[in-house]
Amino acid sequence: MSVIKVAILGFGTVGEGVYKTIQSHAEELERVLGRKVEVAAILIKNKQKKRNINEDVLITSDFNEILSLPQLDVVVEAIVGKEPTLTLLKQAIQRGSHIITANKEMFAHHGNELFELAERHKVSIGFEATVAGGIPVIQTLRQLLNVNRVHTVQGILNGTSNFILTEMREKKQSFADALSLAQKKGYAEVDPTNDVEGFDAFYKTMILSRIAFGEEPNWQDVERVGISSITSELIETAEKLGLRFKHIASINKTCSHINAAVKPVLVGKSHPFYSVEGVENAVNVHSDIVGRITLQGPGAGMFPTASAVIEDLVYVCQNQPSNKNFTITTAENNEVKKGNKIELWLIQGLSKNYHHPLITWVAQATDEAAVIQATREEIEELLIQQKATCCFPILGEYEPESKNQEETVAIL
Amino acid sequence: MSVIKVAILGFGTVGEGVYKTIQSHAEELERVLGRKVEVAAILIKNKQKKRNINEDVLITSDFNEILSLPQLDVVVEAIVGKEPTLTLLKQAIQRGSHIITANKEMFAHHGNELFELAERHKVSIGFEATVAGGIPVIQTLRQLLNVNRVHTVQGILNGTSNFILTEMREKKQSFADALSLAQKKGYAEVDPTNDVEGFDAFYKTMILSRIAFGEEPNWQDVERVGISSITSELIETAEKLGLRFKHIASINKTCSHINAAVKPVLVGKSHPFYSVEGVENAVNVHSDIVGRITLQGPGAGMFPTASAVIEDLVYVCQNQPSNKNFTITTAENNEVKKGNKIELWLIQGLSKNYHHPLITWVAQATDEAAVIQATREEIEELLIQQKATCCFPILGEYEPESKNQEETVAIL
């Protein structure tokens, strides 16, 4: 019986998780694929470091040694950064290997290029691990929602930001203290910019957009705001109103184009994201036949990410490469243009006595903070006039906390 | 170009939804399948009734007319009851048609029989619509979690029960009033037994068990309790403790056998089922590599159910029939036997002064109701001794409502 030969590039958390899982689930892989799966080689940086790897695996820091192997069916990439990753993966495709990647930054930048090359060389690409860790959102969009026209995708895609927001709320901590705990726990890097300023979520959003809509918005048009400006006071004010801050990526396709944003948003108790806490991720997919479905699960970690890679291994080995790589779905969401839609906002710094025909006051948390109904244009005007210091959109329905919070919230 | 010919059995909510969706999504189906999909025939009871169906569709109450069609690729079954459905579907398989069913009662009873027959005749069976409406839980287990060893599946599988529990809590209604509203809204039948006594959820649980574990527990060993004994007082007591009643199906595979139960359970705020309200359904899948993932969405309704059928249509037409119909996953969950595990319970009728070495008091809601920690055996003993009137298990972690509910809950 023939064997499927795999190379793993990188032996950090993800690479090691994939290696261990291929060993521990050898039986399942053989049953599903009808062939044994064998790790033939691992690309590492430092050959001297001690690692717990079987003796028959080629351990090398020279990718050419891997490319020269007599058989190489799948290359799993678990490195970070755009280069040399892209170059290595292109070489792997040209050699005729399927590739699987967990690298969102590289894949957001160069996914299209890799797909074109893969199509020419008749190999498949697995990229489930680039978005929302172990949650099978890519494959749900790729394999399960074939006929549904997806029009909106929303997600909590950065576990680090969600962990920080949860800590700040639950333990009344400052952003700095919560970030420092996230760093201690290994959830955040020493330089946390990628996570807390929304770059990581942005890359994932672009990948989701491509798989859901077959295309991306112009990157420059996407609003990208991180969580570093969210104070514990703001979180407390929101809590009084029955709202929670979540860092949410949203992509919406209308007839003419794709709108996307990655920013802090408020959600009420009836929203499925309300109880998504800590490092968990969640994705809402809105389609025309089924309506809204929500997928929730671990957004990162050694084994959740390894799970995504291993299930992709089955996918790339079983499926004929085809133009289904990026589904082109024609969405027909004729939603009113965002600017004219009346939405709910948590606003701070607006005087209680401020009256405007377009603004409806919904609930007051403190003298300074309230929930109002207004159009986006109106809100922008208020911010320009400096009548309000800051404001955040509320996603979904808002139910005021009338029962438990009578003393603190006046329902207007 | 050849055409895929479909017959729809039944033209109630589901049948009509499928018919309309095949018309409205003709372009998507053709793009995905590479062939046009055409509804060739519809089986109805009453030929006289006026229906909005194209003239070129054969409308008949005689299934033999459908079987005699020169071409019949897929038969979609949207009738209720075990017979004559089973007989019709067997005939369809024997004729060489793929089948898709939305009928949980029939499929829970006869799924294995149909699968054996389908394997002999080299056709596929789609049954996504039998469980959790539009949520693609069957295909997630069937196509996406191939290598993960699933050990536990939990679900809110009956939208009617969940709607009633939500109404009772939100509007402080009695069970009878909430049921009557569910009937008015068309969520519950005139005879609501199937929904409110847990039979519907039970059938769905058996189907989930087969797809997750390749087998079912003995039906007689499965605890099946409905929601008709849940009073609005109990719901209010739970609310004071920060808990909500949910009607939950759970299946757990240990080395030796499968445990299943369908019954009212309490969940706290940090549980993903806490905010699943109204007719929504949700399923937790716990596997060894990825951990817990949650899928949430519409559990019933014309188009959510049609969505499941239409996506199944793509599945049966694209996939080679194989023994992958029921995945056999070896779960290795060596969890402690239930009886000896210390769990959390909401208990009513136990005197505050009752002391027992195995019982830990966690929080007191009223003089009569409290949250305690105890083993299942201990709880059973208390119920036999009539020291407690009723009790419900709490799923997941419990965080007492310390902040908002100081006056009503004493944290012990």
Side-chain angles (χ1 to χ4, degrees), chain B residues 63-64 67 84-97 99 114 117:
Chain B
F63 189 57
N64 286 318
L67 285 177
T85 331
L86 176 66
T87 308
L88 305 186
L89 288 181
K90 280 177 166 175
Q91 290 175 323
I93 291 172
Q94 281 157 342
R95 193 209 177 288
S97 307
I99 62 163
L114 287 173
L117 196 65

Side-chain angles (χ1 to χ4, degrees), chain A residues 56-76:
Chain A
D56 53 355
V57 178
L58 166 70
I59 302 174
T60 175
S61 52
D62 177 5
F63 189 57
N64 286 318
E65 279 194 61
I66 294 178
L67 285 177
S68 319
L69 286 172
Q71 188 191 342
L72 183 60
D73 301 291
V74 183
V75 171
V76 173

Side-chain angles (χ1 to χ4, degrees), chain A residues 25 28 146 149 288 294 296, chain B residues 25 28 149 288 294 296:
Chain A
H25 288 66
E28 281 75 14
N146 285 297
R149 295 169 195 149
D288 66 338
T294 305
Q296 183 183 338
Chain B
H25 287 67
E28 280 76 14
R149 296 169 193 147
D288 67 338
T294 305
Q296 183 183 339

